[in-house]
Amino acid sequence: MKHTKKIALVMAFSFLLTLFCCSCKDDPIVTGKTDGTEDDGNGVSVEGLAPDEVLVKFSGHNGSWGYTRDNTYILADGSIYSSYVGQHDAYFSGQGYSEEDQIKLLKEYADPITVISKDEVSKLYGYMVKINPDAEFKYDDIEVTDVGTDKTYVRVNGEYITISESGERTGRLDDRYAKKTSDLLRKIMGQNFKIKPAADYSRDESYLETFECPNKASTAKAKRIITNLDELIEFEKETGLDLKGKKEFEVFYDTNYGKFDYTVIAVEIIYYPEYLDLKAVTADAFIVSEKYVGFAYINKPVIDISDDVVPEKCYAHVVQIPKDTTGTYDKFLEG
């Protein structure tokens, strides 16, 4: 069974950036600044938008061979952030984070895959604000199963407009400026990016939890990648945690199932002042990027700076992530 699908970014979005048909429309309200002309090439200034305002979102998921999810955002400052998650099993606990929080995590723990020029941003936004959101969305007659769904959205005046969809169904917004937007996006996303998309394993798609440890475990081996049952049992004994009693870990104890063949467990033992409760120190994600590999917080725990000695509690971050054969997790162990 294929565990994860390492698809090149250009390939991942080739279905998203399809050609669009033409139609006429009235211009919507523009939140940026225009130059007062109708020349398509002049673009629209985005000075009225916050730098991290999302202009375009590519979003896709596939559950045919395991589970994959990718999100890519083009922001008003020209930076493009991308995340990709591939899991053999996904949990879908409903405890994921918002788009705003995902972008916050990517900006904190990953580098943009590229940054486009102000002129490209202006031209892109100039096309976007002229898209008619009420235009007809036309689907092709052919439908396919087990190929996932990919969508391209643009955001104008705080609202998303879907301009294309591909996968099980393929369609596009029948609008002239949607086509122009698509053509420009194809050019932008057709680059060879030097930075790879980050992986942000959330509580919704992966098993991710922070526990208070019954035992005061040593931090001599604070960070570990558990790859077999013996290592898992050793970690339980050190921390006093009963992971075997949780249904999400049962298959790791069944040697016939072979869970460790494609999934490992990343853990980190960490101490925090006792005045911080469990909720305050619970990790929100496990990030794998060229900038950072490890547990991550949307809002980091606030620790008072004092010369006084404060009693501490022992905690353990635990996450189930795909098995790595390329040394990707080495940065986590070394950090």
Side-chain angles (χ1 to χ4, degrees), residues 31-274:
T31 56
K33 298 179 180 179
T34 66
D35 56 12
T37 73
E38 293 298 321
D39 185 350
D40 290 340
N42 288 337
V44 172
S45 170
V46 294
E47 291 180 18
L49 303 180
D52 58 353
E53 175 85 10
V54 178
L55 298 185
V56 179
K57 177 173 74 171
F58 304 99
S59 181
H61 68 272
N62 194 322
S64 301
W65 301 278
Y67 169 78
T68 64
R69 181 268 298 160
D70 56 84
N71 289 324
T72 296
Y73 304 96
I74 300 180
L75 306 184
D77 65 359
S79 57
I80 303 180
Y81 287 89
S82 184
S83 74
Y84 173 92
V85 167
Q87 285 276 52
H88 187 279
D89 301 302
Y91 290 98
F92 305 119
S93 64
Q95 300 179 39
Y97 34 68
S98 66
E99 175 183 293
E100 180 182 4
D101 286 338
Q102 182 180 41
I103 293 171
K104 184 176 181 180
L105 284 168
L106 291 174
K107 293 189 71 173
E108 174 71 21
Y109 296 100
D111 292 320
I113 59 173
T114 192
V115 179
I116 61 176
S117 69
K118 290 183 179 180
D119 287 343
E120 285 179 300
V121 172
S122 175
K123 189 172 183 180
L124 175 64
Y125 195 63
Y127 291 152
M128 288 169 45
V129 297
K130 295 176 183 177
I131 293 173
N132 177 12
D134 297 321
E136 182 182 2
F137 199 94
K138 294 185 176 181
Y139 284 100
D140 295 347
D141 293 333
I142 299 176
E143 294 187 17
V144 185
T145 59
D146 295 333
V147 293
T149 300
D150 298 282
K151 292 185 178 182
T152 301
Y153 307 87
V154 298
R155 191 157 73 173
V156 180
N157 300 320
E159 299 292 332
Y160 274 124
I161 303 169
T162 306
I163 62 172
S164 73
E165 177 181 335
S166 67
E168 295 179 359
R169 302 181 70 190
T170 298
R172 59 206 59 81
L173 192 67
D174 189 11
D175 177 83
R176 173 188 178 190
Y177 288 100
K179 180 184 183 303
K180 287 179 176 289
T181 300
S182 173
D183 290 343
L184 182 54
L185 287 174
R186 180 181 293 107
K187 178 182 177 182
I188 291 171
M189 302 306 295
Q191 308 175 49
N192 291 319
F193 302 119
K194 295 181 179 180
I195 303 295
K196 296 179 181 179
D200 59 318
Y201 297 96
S202 74
R203 185 164 288 102
D204 189 32
E205 298 163 325
S206 300
Y207 181 86
L208 169 68
E209 197 53 82
T210 299
F211 301 96
E212 182 178 345
C213 301
N215 299 343
K216 299 294 183 181
S218 171
T219 56
K221 291 171 56 181
K223 297 180 180 181
R224 311 177 200 180
I225 301 293
I226 296 173
T227 61
N228 58 60
L229 184 55
D230 289 340
E231 293 172 351
L232 178 56
I233 294 173
E234 178 187 358
F235 175 73
E236 284 189 296
K237 289 180 179 178
E238 288 185 33
T239 58
L241 296 174
D242 179 21
L243 298 180
K244 184 179 182 180
K246 297 184 176 296
K247 62 180 181 179
E248 295 89 353
F249 287 86
E250 290 175 353
V251 290
F252 286 97
Y253 288 85
D254 183 353
T255 55
N256 294 323
Y257 194 89
K259 181 75 171 181
F260 279 112
D261 291 344
Y262 51 84
T263 303
V264 297
I265 304 168
V267 300
E268 180 177 4
I269 298 170
I270 190 167
Y271 281 80
Y272 279 109
E274 66 175 9

Side-chain angles (χ1 to χ4, degrees), residues 309-328:
V309 177
V310 179
E312 294 181 317
K313 291 182 180 179
C314 178
Y315 297 94
H317 300 312
V318 180
V319 66
Q320 296 177 17
I321 51 178
K323 185 176 182 179
D324 168 49
T325 58
T326 61
T328 302

